[in-house]
Amino acid sequence: MFWLNTKRIIRTGLLSFWRNGFVSLSSILVVTVTLFTIIVIIFTNVVLESVLADMRSKVDVNVYFVVSAPEPQILAMKDSLNKLAEVSSVKYVSREQALQEFKDKHKDDYLTIQGLDELGDNPLGARLNIVAKDPSQYEGIVKTIEDKNALVAPDQSIIDKVNYQQNKVVIDRLSEIIIGAKQLGFLLALVLMIISVLITFNTIRLVIYMSREEIAVMRLVGASSTYVRGPFIVGGMIYGVISAALAMFLFWPIAIWLARATTDFFGGVNLYTYYIQNFFQIFFIVLMAGIFLGAVSSFLAVRKYLKV
Amino acid sequence: MIYFDKVAKKYSNDPNAFAIQDINFSVAHNEFVSIVGHSGAGKTTLLKMLLAEERPTEGNVFFESVNVNELHRNEVTKLRRRIGMIFQDFRLLPNKTVYENIAFAMEAAGRSDEEIAFDVPHVLELVDLGHKIWDFPGHLSGGEKQRVAIARAIVNQPDIIIADEPTGNLDPVNTYEIVQILKKVNDIGTTVILTTHNKGIIDLLGRRVITMEGGRIIRDDASGKYVL
């Protein structure tokens, strides 16, 4: 009996969807707008994350070592820093590399190069270039570096200076911007989602309101609540499936159009490439959202008219 | 079979605002009972009580010794499958064909596809609408719609048919045909309760008549006439 009823509910849902052509079309368009909003939110988040990651990668802290600092001690510190969860990368720049970088940087500055040659020895110490996963974590990392320094070289500090204090204002400001941007993005996404969901829910409620007499008749001829409600839920799910496909299809040319702009201006993320590479994951999310929205809206809207 | 025991119903807190009150009557198996009265006399309220669409403010309604007021929602659904309903405004499902309208009532009662495929054409032949099986209600005349509604009401072989002003929207020819169909249904053993304003129908039937006025039963005659 369960399978027979399920088969009948699905068949009735499909038939009603087909026969209520104009109403179905209107509902699909509204659900499509909602799902399109979800896609826009997903892609906006991708762009925002890319921009923020780009900004984060531009912030780093350098630990400059004294000229006499032994290389094994510096490498030991590098290894222990690499193990920290907050650290994204640690790059070791030897004294020789530092000298070469300096020369390359000042190759057109004859006086500086001459002065360097007159010294006869390499005046530059080695350094560690540290990039944190989040700018707000630099303070903790610097504290760890100072502790490590005390452990690695208890008698005499091997660290000449850490440029954190110089960059602190910029880092703190950037941390605030990143947190603010994330919160604003989340808030906007939430507001857009709530508006879209409410519009979808009200549209489906209106569709079912038009069928209230039909529901009353079904109840009077002895149909159970499940049997009355089922076809409407199936209809809602069909709206979701078609709308998901439509929203993905509509976003395709937009992704192509936005690809160049996002690559050039937003930290290198190519929206079209992202769309193609993650097509099935995004489609799955949108499809599930569509089915869920359609089914739940129908379920709630029919409930009101079942009390006959 | 049906027993109304001191039933009263009011829709507001006004102590005098009774839609019906002091209703006592019973209906036996295979009876054909007509309920007559002016608009607002309480006829439809009475039927709604039987279908558990409305619950009485006072008293009880029994259907084969089961107190309808105490039924849970699922049990109400089962009760309604034993009652065939016919309405003045037909209440067919507009997006379903004639076949599907009747099949829906059978599906709701849990009948198999084979039974539905066999019974629906058969019952449509009974109401002389075999040729309209795939039409939508919008393409039928008033009389045809009412005959579809009757087919839907009788297809599950209910214990009782309740017809609420079934001829209210029909011309005299269709009215006569509908009454003949109801008589035929009653002749094969189904109890029929009919509400009507139509004096001609009552006189034609010559069966039991319950007369209502101001929410009360004022006459109950075994082979009554329309007296108002």
Side-chain angles (χ1 to χ4, degrees):
Chain A
M1 182 52 78
F2 172 78
W3 290 114
L4 181 67
N5 278 343
T6 307
K7 188 186 83 179
R8 285 172 175 171
I9 284 171
I10 293 171
R11 188 183 61 201
T12 310
L14 287 167
L15 263 180
S16 301
F17 172 82
W18 182 249
R19 286 178 183 167
N20 294 316
F22 185 73
V23 174
S24 300
L25 182 69
S26 316
S27 306
I28 284 171
L29 290 179
V30 173
V31 180
T32 301
V33 171
T34 302
L35 298 183
F36 192 83
T37 309
I38 292 175
I39 297 176
V40 169
I41 289 170
I42 291 172
F43 278 83
T44 307
N45 194 46
V46 167
V47 171
L48 184 68
E49 277 300 325
S50 168
V51 171
L52 295 181
D54 192 45
M55 285 167 77
R56 278 189 211 109
S57 69
K58 287 191 167 75
V59 177
D60 57 10
V61 160
N62 282 311
V63 180
Y64 296 94
F65 293 91
V66 294
V67 176
S68 58
E71 191 173 37
Q73 286 186 4
I74 299 171
L75 291 174
M77 186 179 280
K78 175 182 180 269
D79 287 344
S80 58
L81 285 171
N82 255 332
K83 286 173 189 158
L84 292 177
E86 301 90 345
V87 172
S88 173
S89 68
V90 183
K91 187 181 160 198
Y92 171 61
V93 179
S94 66
R95 291 184 64 206
E96 291 71 28
Q97 284 170 315
L99 180 65
Q100 190 54 49
E101 280 178 12
F102 185 85
K103 282 179 176 174
D104 289 344
K105 193 176 175 184
H106 297 91
K107 62 183 178 201
D108 299 327
D109 186 351
Y110 176 73
L111 284 174
T112 305
I113 296 295
Q114 194 182 28
L116 195 64
D117 288 343
E118 280 172 8
L119 278 174
D121 194 13
N122 181 0
L124 301 173
R127 71 171 194 272
L128 288 178
N129 176 263
I130 303 161
V131 177
K133 285 179 180 157
D134 193 286
S136 64
Q137 291 163 334
Y138 279 113
E139 191 154 8
I141 292 170
V142 170
K143 178 80 174 60
T144 310
I145 290 167
E146 283 162 359
D147 294 345
K148 297 274 181 210
N149 180 40
L151 281 173
V152 171
D155 304 332
Q156 190 188 349
S157 174
I158 59 169
I159 292 174
D160 183 20
K161 68 168 183 175
V162 181
N163 69 350
Y164 171 67
Q165 289 304 326
Q166 285 167 253
N167 296 348
K168 190 174 184 306
V169 177
V170 178
I171 290 171
D172 288 350
R173 189 69 199 273
L174 198 62
S175 295
E176 284 170 19
I177 291 171
I178 288 170
I179 291 167
K182 273 186 161 181
Q183 285 174 346
L184 188 70
F186 177 75
L187 199 70
L188 274 174
L190 193 70
V191 170
L192 272 174
M193 274 301 297
I194 289 172
I195 293 171
S196 308
V197 167
L198 283 178
I199 292 171
T200 302
F201 178 70
N202 277 326
T203 306
I204 291 179
R205 204 167 68 154
L206 199 65
V207 169
I208 288 167
Y209 174 79
M210 286 158 62
S211 305
R212 65 194 186 285
E213 294 286 339
E214 206 174 323
I215 293 170
V217 175
M218 289 172 174
R219 293 293 282 159
L220 283 172
V221 299
S224 65
S225 300
T226 312
Y227 204 72
V228 175
R229 186 184 269 147
F232 289 101
I233 293 175
V234 170
M237 290 165 84
I238 297 172
Y239 297 156
V241 172
I242 296 176
S243 301
L246 201 59
M248 287 300 285
F249 178 72
L250 286 175
F251 198 79
W252 180 44
I254 295 173
I256 294 173
W257 183 60
L258 285 175
R260 180 174 289 180
T262 51
T263 311
D264 292 347
F265 297 107
F266 296 112
V269 63
N270 184 318
L271 271 195
Y272 182 64
T273 309
Y274 186 86
Y275 174 86
I276 296 295
Q277 283 174 349
N278 298 280
F279 182 86
F280 289 106
Q281 288 101 309
I282 298 166
F283 182 60
F284 182 74
I285 292 168
V286 174
L287 184 70
M288 287 300 119
I291 290 174
F292 180 79
L293 258 180
V296 171
S297 304
S298 303
F299 179 88
L300 294 175
V302 176
R303 192 173 59 168
K304 186 179 173 185
Y305 303 108
L306 286 176
K307 295 167 188 165
V308 182
Chain B
M1 183 184 196
I2 294 164
Y3 175 45
F4 277 70
D5 178 28
K6 301 187 190 83
V7 174
K9 174 72 183 178
K10 60 178 178 178
Y11 291 101
S12 70
N13 291 328
D14 181 353
N16 298 317
F18 281 97
I20 55 172
Q21 62 181 318
D22 202 22
I23 300 293
N24 288 289
F25 74 95
S26 59
V27 177
H29 272 289
N30 204 22
E31 251 195 301
F32 195 126
V33 182
S34 301
I35 302 173
V36 300
H38 294 301
S39 295
K43 305 186 293 292
T44 302
T45 306
L46 209 67
L47 300 185
K48 283 184 173 176
M49 301 273 169
L50 188 53
L51 283 165
E53 260 192 273
E54 300 280 358
R55 306 274 165 155
T57 314
E58 292 168 20
N60 293 298
V61 179
F62 294 92
F63 184 88
E64 294 201 325
S65 74
V66 174
N67 190 340
V68 173
N69 310 343
E70 291 172 357
L71 293 178
H72 184 262
R73 189 188 278 192
N74 292 340
E75 293 166 325
V76 168
T77 301
K78 286 176 188 160
L79 166 82
R80 286 175 181 170
R81 289 175 194 162
R82 300 176 63 189
I83 300 172
M85 276 297 301
I86 303 165
F87 304 93
Q88 180 177 359
D89 55 358
F90 323 121
R91 298 207 195 169
L92 300 176
L93 302 171
N95 288 321
K96 291 185 187 290
T97 62
V98 166
Y99 179 93
E100 289 164 349
N101 262 280
I102 298 165
F104 184 83
M106 294 184 76
E107 287 174 2
R111 309 277 290 276
S112 70
D113 287 344
E114 291 74 25
E115 284 177 294
I116 292 171
F118 181 79
D119 287 355
V120 174
H122 181 66
V123 80
L124 278 171
E125 288 302 331
L126 282 180
V127 295
D128 201 20
L129 274 180
H131 59 294
K132 298 275 187 179
I133 192 164
W134 299 116
D135 284 14
F136 284 91
H139 298 142
L140 303 177
S141 68
E144 287 170 335
K145 283 180 190 168
Q146 199 56 294
R147 280 188 276 162
V148 175
I150 292 175
R152 181 180 65 185
I154 63 175
V155 74
N156 283 328
Q157 295 160 8
D159 299 323
I160 178 169
I161 294 279
I162 294 176
D164 189 11
E165 308 269 9
T167 58
N169 286 339
L170 303 180
D171 59 55
V173 174
N174 277 307
T175 297
Y176 179 78
E177 284 178 4
I178 296 299
V179 172
Q180 291 308 315
I181 293 170
L182 289 175
K183 277 177 79 175
K184 215 189 292 180
V185 169
N186 180 240
D187 289 343
I188 57 172
T190 309
T191 308
V192 178
I193 298 179
L194 166 78
T195 69
T196 183
H197 282 116
N198 193 319
K199 183 177 185 306
I201 291 177
I202 300 301
D203 295 343
L204 179 72
L205 286 166
R207 306 282 180 94
R208 181 181 169 194
V209 178
I210 294 173
T211 308
M212 293 189 73
E213 194 173 86
R216 292 172 186 272
I217 293 176
I218 57 166
R219 290 170 68 94
D220 188 347
D221 298 328
S223 56
K225 296 278 181 187
Y226 192 103
V227 184
L228 264 174

